[in-house]
Amino acid sequence: MELSLEEFNVPCENASTPVPMLYQSGYLTIDYYNKEDDVYVLHFPNYEVCQGMVYSFLALRHHHPQGMDGEEEKGSVKKRFIRNME
């Protein structure tokens, strides 16, 4: 995922997505910096973290088929997170 510094290095309470929390807690790390486009590429630090996230989302999907906030709108927390992870 490519992001500007301002998109992931912000206080969690000011974040509009879960990406800053995942970055600050170590679930996402910087893979490299694209100086030409001024963006950082984030990734999961290892296979186990990636696998754990996938399993968590599968369990979430199973228990909350309409999303975490009960919406099927584009604005649901889960859908926003998944879009940001792409």
Side-chain angles (χ1 to χ4, degrees):
M1 136 182 23
E2 293 183 352
L3 300 167
S4 69
L5 185 63
E6 296 79 27
E7 291 177 282
F8 70 91
N9 193 28
V10 298
C12 292
E13 61 272 7
N14 297 336
S16 59
T17 70
V19 173
M21 181 182 65
L22 292 171
Y23 169 70
Q24 292 172 17
S25 61
Y27 287 99
L28 288 174
T29 58
I30 296 173
D31 188 22
Y32 66 91
Y33 172 66
N34 180 335
K35 195 172 193 175
E36 185 176 303
D37 296 329
D38 192 31
V39 294
Y40 292 82
V41 176
L42 303 181
H43 71 120
F44 293 114
N46 57 49
Y47 178 76
E48 289 79 12
V49 171
C50 182
Q51 185 179 32
M53 293 299 282
V54 169
Y55 287 152
S56 295
F57 285 120
L58 289 174
L60 177 67
R61 180 70 179 159
H62 175 73
H63 294 297
H64 301 280
Q66 292 184 338
M68 285 175 32
D69 51 11
E71 297 179 8
E72 296 207 41
E73 301 285 323
K74 288 190 331 188
S76 78
V77 172
K78 182 180 69 176
K79 288 183 181 182
R80 283 195 321 257
F81 178 80
I82 291 170
R83 272 198 314 275
N84 283 311
M85 297 307 292
E86 295 175 340

